[in-house]
Amino acid sequence: MPTNSELAAKMLRDAAMFFRQVGEQNPPVADQMNQNAEVYAQVAQLVETDPTGEVPTQDPGEQPAG
């Protein structure tokens, strides 16, 4: 039986796949759908590797690092 975090990660990956498929079928929104898919895949990875971890936040006025 899967754990809650395993189920959550699977659902997030399934959502990522859905976004990718929507992008493949609708080229005008493909970039946005691929970005959505990537975020969902990243969160799935976080849920699996650190299910109780905290996501660092950024103040609206801050510039992203890098």
Side-chain angles (χ1 to χ4, degrees), residues 2-17 40 44-45 47-48:
T3 65
N4 291 341
S5 63
E6 290 169 337
L7 179 58
K10 180 184 180 336
M11 292 178 74
L12 289 162
R13 285 202 174 86
D14 288 348
M17 186 183 334
Y40 276 71
Q45 181 69 27
V47 167
E48 283 182 328

Side-chain angles (χ1 to χ4, degrees), residues 18-64:
F18 169 78
F19 283 120
R20 287 187 184 101
Q21 290 171 346
V22 169
E24 288 172 4
Q25 296 172 12
N26 194 346
V29 297
D31 287 342
Q32 182 63 50
M33 294 299 105
N34 287 330
Q35 288 175 16
N36 291 348
E38 186 57 33
V39 170
Y40 276 71
Q42 289 174 2
V43 174
Q45 181 69 27
L46 289 171
V47 167
E48 283 182 328
T49 59
D50 191 7
T52 61
E54 293 183 9
V55 177
T57 58
Q58 178 178 319
D59 290 334
E62 285 184 51
Q63 293 295 318

